[in-house]
Every structure is written in C-alpha cells, then in structure tokens.
Amino acid sequence: IKVFNQGLSFIGRIKQYHSRSSGYDQILHKMEQMYALLALSVALCPAGAKSLDESVQTNLREKHSEKMQKMVRSELPVFDELFTYACPKFITPSIPDYDNPTVNVSSEAYKLQLKMFLTEIQQQNQLPVLKQYLKLYTSISASKLADLMGSEPDQLLTLLMCLKHKTYSKTHLGSGSATEGLWSSSGDTDFIVDVDSEKGDEETVQIGDIKMQKNYMEYYSNHIQKLKGICSQLNAPVRAQGGW
C-alpha cells in the first residue's frame, strides 16, 4: 500500500507535464491499474488506508468506492474483475513444449495466479463479519461469539486463528533489504483468547483497538506548497495584451 501511495502521488504531481507526450495515455492506463490494485489491497487490509495521502484517498473513493464496499462483503466477481484488469503479465517459468509449438500456453500462468488469488479470498469470506462483531465488544465469551456467527465454538476458534494469521504481515522499516522487516498486525483490531477461571474455565475473547498515530506533516506540507503556488501566480507580472 505504501508503494502504491508513493507511486500514485508522484504520477499525480507530474502527469500534467506529460499531457502532450506520446506515452501520456500509457501513463493514465498504468495509473488506473495501480488504483485497482490499491483498492484490492485496502479491501484486504483496511488499516492500510490510514497511511494514504489525502489526494490518493479522494481519487480511490471516486473510482472504486462501490466496488470496495462489495469486496468488504467478500463478493468474488469484484475481486476477479479488478485482478484481471490490473494484474501484471505473469510468465510461465517452465520450458515450452517444442514438440507441439501450436499449443498456446501464454494464459496458463495468468489463470493459475487468478485461481490462487480467488482461493485466498474464499478462505477469508467469513472474516469481514467476524471483524464487525469484534469491533462491537471489548470482551466476549467464545460461546456467545460463536452463536452470533452461527457456528460451533471449535469452528469459531479456527476462524479467530485464521483472522490472526491473515492480518499479520511483515512491515518494512524503510532501510535494508526489501524482504526485511518486522512482523506486525495489519488489522484495525487485535485480540487474544483467554481462559476465565471465574466462569469455569470458559474461553473469552479480549479485543483491543489498534490506534495508528496520524502523520499530519505531509498534509500541511502539501497545502503549504499549494498556497505558495497560488501566491506566485497572484504576484506574477501581468502579460501585455495584444498581438502583432
């Protein structure tokens, strides 16, 4: 999400200077694909939206607000549509079948990646409802939460472990190798499953909000730059009217 945010912010600043270049349409097309991938990323990791620039957030809502709401409800056709439109051109690492050169396998890699992606989404189809229930409580028994979810307590514990696993990711610290970082929660809520001895060793889910400190420096810096641009235009000398 941070990479998409930086890339889209940069393109938004420079695209006006390339409006007459031959590659302008390609720039706009790539920007639309990046917004589609960003919509997928934010739908799967809502906490990442807090790190987006104001302009990127506004454009994202204008372009994909309705689709993001559908993705929160785990509607597979929307995931399929955006991934098909914006996914990179995958390649097959295996050697072509030179004995049968007429067979076209160029789309096999794409179909495999799409299948794996949709399988991952299907594994999370119950997690949005679970997250909404967790936001309503600070402490709730596992049996009561299982009743709300319409599942057995053992199935609920499996869903909780799945949610914990899916919302943990490696966060890059800004230096070092691109594969290095610290494992941290990417969700907007965190929880633990505890045993309440006072209630006969009943399993209880303890929920806490993850509050991210918002960085206002970039927001004010952007508006200061806009103000300077407006002041420079107002103070610019007036061009003489008329012609030859």
Side-chain angles (χ1 to χ4, degrees):
I1 292 178
K2 291 181 180 179
V3 174
F4 285 134
N5 179 58
Q6 294 173 356
L8 290 169
S9 298
F10 177 74
I11 293 175
R13 291 194 301 268
I14 66 149
K15 68 176 183 179
Q16 59 181 334
Y17 303 111
H18 298 271
S19 58
R20 296 184 179 181
S21 65
S22 58
Y24 183 67
D25 292 338
Q26 186 69 16
I27 293 175
L28 295 182
H29 178 65
K30 288 300 179 184
M31 184 175 70
E32 293 298 325
Q33 288 182 313
M34 291 176 67
Y35 270 113
L37 292 175
L38 179 60
L40 288 171
S41 303
V42 172
L44 295 174
C45 179
K50 299 178 181 179
S51 62
L52 296 178
D53 292 345
E54 181 186 12
S55 59
V56 176
Q57 277 188 331
T58 302
N59 292 333
L60 183 63
R61 286 194 297 265
E62 291 176 353
K63 296 176 184 295
H64 300 293
S65 176
E66 183 178 352
K67 292 181 180 178
M68 290 175 65
Q69 293 177 3
K70 292 181 179 180
M71 287 189 288
V72 170
R73 298 192 294 268
S74 299
E75 297 188 14
L76 281 180
V78 182
F79 284 99
D80 191 340
E81 176 188 350
L82 290 180
F83 187 83
T84 301
Y85 169 71
C87 69
K89 303 301 180 184
F90 300 107
I91 62 172
T92 304
S94 60
I95 300 175
D97 186 4
Y98 294 107
D99 296 332
N100 194 4
T102 59
V103 177
N104 185 7
V105 295
S106 59
S107 62
E108 293 299 324
Y110 153 71
K111 292 179 181 179
L112 178 60
Q113 294 291 337
L114 177 61
K115 180 181 178 181
M116 294 175 61
F117 176 71
L118 295 181
T119 301
E120 177 72 18
I121 300 302
Q122 287 176 334
Q123 294 176 357
Q124 305 184 35
N125 59 354
Q126 291 184 289
L127 298 187
V129 179
L130 178 59
K131 287 190 288 187
Q132 293 300 322
Y133 282 127
L134 291 177
K135 290 180 180 179
L136 298 176
Y137 298 90
T138 56
S139 177
I140 182 174
S141 64
S143 58
K144 181 179 179 180
L145 185 57
D147 292 337
L148 293 174
M149 290 292 297
S151 62
E152 297 295 328
D154 292 341
Q155 295 176 345
L156 174 68
L157 293 177
T158 302
L159 284 176
L160 289 172
M161 292 304 298
C162 179
L163 178 60
K164 180 76 74 172
H165 171 68
K166 298 297 183 183
T167 54
Y168 260 74
S169 59
K170 185 177 289 188
T171 303
H172 189 247
L173 301 178
S175 60
S177 174
T179 59
E180 295 179 354
L182 294 177
W183 288 95
S184 61
S185 175
S186 58
D188 47 6
T189 57
D190 199 6
F191 62 90
I192 59 172
V193 180
D194 196 7
V195 177
D196 192 347
S197 58
E198 296 180 357
K199 297 182 179 180
D201 294 337
E202 182 180 13
E203 293 177 327
T204 305
V205 184
Q206 307 287 346
I207 305 105
D209 291 333
I210 297 177
K211 295 182 179 180
M212 297 180 61
Q213 185 176 2
K214 191 172 181 61
N215 186 6
Y216 295 97
M217 181 180 67
E218 189 170 2
Y219 172 82
Y220 285 112
S221 298
N222 292 336
H223 281 71
I224 289 173
Q225 292 298 325
K226 291 179 181 179
L227 178 61
K228 288 182 178 180
I230 294 173
C231 292
S232 62
Q233 292 178 2
L234 293 175
N235 296 328
V238 180
R239 296 182 178 179
Q241 301 293 329
W244 294 96

